[in-house]
């Protein structure tokens, strides 16, 4: 299966920043293009969302289209009136169909009966993808639905071929394929890294898929029996857990590649927040606290649910605790017992309550 995926897809010193205050942290905050669409949707208006997605389709902005459609679908889980009006007004609109398909997958994803619920949904999602022309994003939805439905390798490969035929470097489709590989072969970390590294090497310099090895590294570090970060500043001891130490050079290389990609985006950029939050988590798990502190500076106030919601229902709290640990580790490494690099207190001593961004949590993944 891995060979088939690869064959088809082939084509200055860090600073020690002072962190933002807790009450400046925003969860899943939208960027300037998505925010007006979400505000309008909250008023029951679908026009801005329709205009946003139409623009991404016409300009072939596939990575943006994927993320915006996912965020709009997540919003529609609790406020769906605007989407219902949109579909009744324009039942054949490809953008409305995309959001509706994404919503259908989201609604069933967290159910214990996910596979049984998604199996009857999958044919309709695939049919909509076939009708979407050169757009690869509906195929990402189909890949997610197939993974959730426990589709067989042959069926998943067939969907994967359709996806990469439309865009061989689409990040969301590659994430879906990577997660399918990881779920189908637990513990196959080398194979997942092989797939991710090949995709990154073949991609243009600015392509988001160049961060795919970071996603594979995170899967390796969070797998059962893999590395687990400790709550204190000596978390690097966990990076030598059995099964991880042999892959350490490749895990570091994945983090380095993602760091280079992060540097191409402005600081405090909501679009880059998903990459930087994941990168912080991987760097912490590898014990690279100074590098993690620099990514925290670049991230600014923008927190994303993934990866912090992996083991908790409080991703903001988890982020704040990790951030405090990172800055404590940096202070300790610099031989200073106090100073401006220290993070805010954690737990009940935290100053203020982090604020939510608009849009809600995203599943099965905006990563």
């Amino acid at each position: 299966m891995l060979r088939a995926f690869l064959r088809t897809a082939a084509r200055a010193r860090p600073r020690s920043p002072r962190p933002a205050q807790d009450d400046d942290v925003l969860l899943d905050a939208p960027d300037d293009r998505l925010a007006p669409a979400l505000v309008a949707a909250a008023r029951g208006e679908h026009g801005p969302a329709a205009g946003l997605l139409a623009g991404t389709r016409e300009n072939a902005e596939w990575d943006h289209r994927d993320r915006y459609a996912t965020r709009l679908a997540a919003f529609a889980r609790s406020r769906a009136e605007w989407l219902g009006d949109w579909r009744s007004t324009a039942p054949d609109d490809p953008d409305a169909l995309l959001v509706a398909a994404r919503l259908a997958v989201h609604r069933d994803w967290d159910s214990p009966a996910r596979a049984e619920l998604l199996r009857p949904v999958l044919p309709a999602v695939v049919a909509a993808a076939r009708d979407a022309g050169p757009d690869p994003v509906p195929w990402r939805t189909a890949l997610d639905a197939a993974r959730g439905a426990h589709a067989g390798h042959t069926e998943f490969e067939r969907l994967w071929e359709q996806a990469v035929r439309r865009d061989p470097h689409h990040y969301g489709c590659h994430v879906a394929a990577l997660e399918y590989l990881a779920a189908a072969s637990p513990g196959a970390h080398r194979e997942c890294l092989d797939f991710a590294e090949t995709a990154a090497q073949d991609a243009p310099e600015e392509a988001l898929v160049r961060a795919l090895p970071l996603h594979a590294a995170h899967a390796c570090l969070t797998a059962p029996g893999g590395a687990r970060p400790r709550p204190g500043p000596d978390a690097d001891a966990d990076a030598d857990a059995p099964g991880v130490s042999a892959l350490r050079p490749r895990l570091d290389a994945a983090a380095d590649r993602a760091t280079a990609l992060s540097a191409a985006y402005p600081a405090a950029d909501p679009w880059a927040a998903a990459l930087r939050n994941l990168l912080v988590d991987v760097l912490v798990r590898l014990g690279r606290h100074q590098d993690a502190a620099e990514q925290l500076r670049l991230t600014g106030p923008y927190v994303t649910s993934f990866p912090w919601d992996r083991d908790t229902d409080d991703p903001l709290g988890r982020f704040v605790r990790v951030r405090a640990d990172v800055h404590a580790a940096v202070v300790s490494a610099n031989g200073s017992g106090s100073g401006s690099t220290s993070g805010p207190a954690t737990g009940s001593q935290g100053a203020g309550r982090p604020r939510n961004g608009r849009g809600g949590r995203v599943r099965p993944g905006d990563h």
Side-chain angles (χ1 to χ4, degrees):
M1 181 173 60
L2 172 65
R3 286 195 297 272
F5 279 13
L6 292 174
R7 183 172 62 250
T8 309
R11 318 264 185 246
R13 180 178 177 178
R15 286 182 276 175
S16 300
R18 182 182 183 86
Q21 293 298 311
D22 289 5
D23 56 1
D24 288 335
V25 178
L26 298 169
L27 179 66
D28 295 330
D31 64 17
D32 291 341
R33 297 173 67 185
L34 178 61
L38 290 173
V39 170
R43 295 196 299 260
E45 302 168 9
H46 66 266
L52 174 65
L53 291 181
T56 61
R57 174 167 43 85
E58 293 162 2
N59 296 319
E61 297 177 279
W62 304 133
D63 287 331
H64 283 79
R65 179 173 177 78
D66 190 10
R67 187 176 295 183
Y68 293 156
T70 300
R71 294 293 302 277
L72 287 165
F75 185 81
R77 288 189 68 174
S78 57
R79 302 283 293 275
E81 298 84 359
W82 61 277
L83 180 57
D85 290 344
W86 185 7
R87 296 207 62 197
S88 62
T89 302
D92 297 324
D93 188 316
D95 306 313
L97 290 172
L98 173 63
V99 177
R102 202 95 195 118
L103 176 59
V105 175
H106 283 169
R107 278 177 169 162
D108 296 336
W109 195 262
D110 292 328
S111 171
R114 177 174 64 194
E116 291 76 12
L117 292 170
L118 285 177
R119 284 187 191 114
V121 171
L122 181 57
V125 172
V126 173
R130 286 200 189 99
D131 292 338
D135 184 358
V137 180
W139 292 100
R140 189 265 168 89
T141 306
L143 290 168
D144 280 336
R147 176 166 60 94
H150 297 166
H153 298 344
T154 300
E155 183 175 6
F156 195 92
E157 279 186 42
R158 179 172 56 82
L159 300 177
W160 169 247
E161 289 171 359
Q162 294 294 324
V164 296
R165 184 181 301 170
R166 286 156 175 80
D167 184 352
H169 306 303
H170 182 247
Y171 180 65
C173 289
H174 280 78
V175 169
L178 176 66
E179 292 181 337
Y180 182 87
L181 281 171
S185 303
H189 303 313
R190 286 182 175 81
E191 290 81 355
C192 289
L193 285 167
D194 288 344
F195 172 69
E197 289 166 359
T198 299
Q201 289 163 5
D202 291 344
E205 282 292 328
E206 70 282 2
L208 191 57
V209 76
R210 291 181 67 84
L212 194 66
L214 181 73
H215 202 97
H218 184 263
C220 172
L221 289 165
T222 57
R228 287 286 188 271
R230 295 182 181 180
D234 58 340
D236 54 334
D238 281 319
D240 292 326
V244 174
S245 58
L247 297 175
R248 177 64 192 246
R250 298 177 71 178
L251 302 179
D252 280 320
D256 292 342
R257 190 192 296 269
T259 298
L261 188 61
S262 170
Y265 294 101
D269 181 1
W271 173 259
L275 167 66
R276 287 169 173 159
N277 275 251
L278 181 58
L279 179 53
V280 168
D281 193 25
V282 168
L283 289 168
V284 169
R285 291 175 186 274
L286 292 173
R288 295 172 53 176
H289 297 102
Q290 192 82 40
D291 294 335
E294 173 63 7
Q295 292 304 313
L296 285 167
R297 181 188 71 82
L298 292 172
T299 298
Y302 298 113
V303 183
T304 54
S305 293
F306 179 79
W308 312 113
D309 63 354
R310 176 178 172 81
D311 300 314
T312 178
D313 290 330
D314 181 17
L316 277 171
R318 172 68 178 155
F319 172 85
V320 170
R321 288 191 296 273
V322 168
R323 185 180 63 180
D325 288 344
V326 167
H327 291 286
V330 170
V331 169
S332 177
N334 290 341
S336 172
S338 61
S340 62
T341 59
S342 58
T346 60
S348 61
Q349 297 175 351
R353 177 66 182 166
R355 290 182 287 126
N356 249 322
R358 300 181 189 275
R361 204 173 296 183
V362 180
R363 291 181 185 276
D366 182 25
H367 27 281

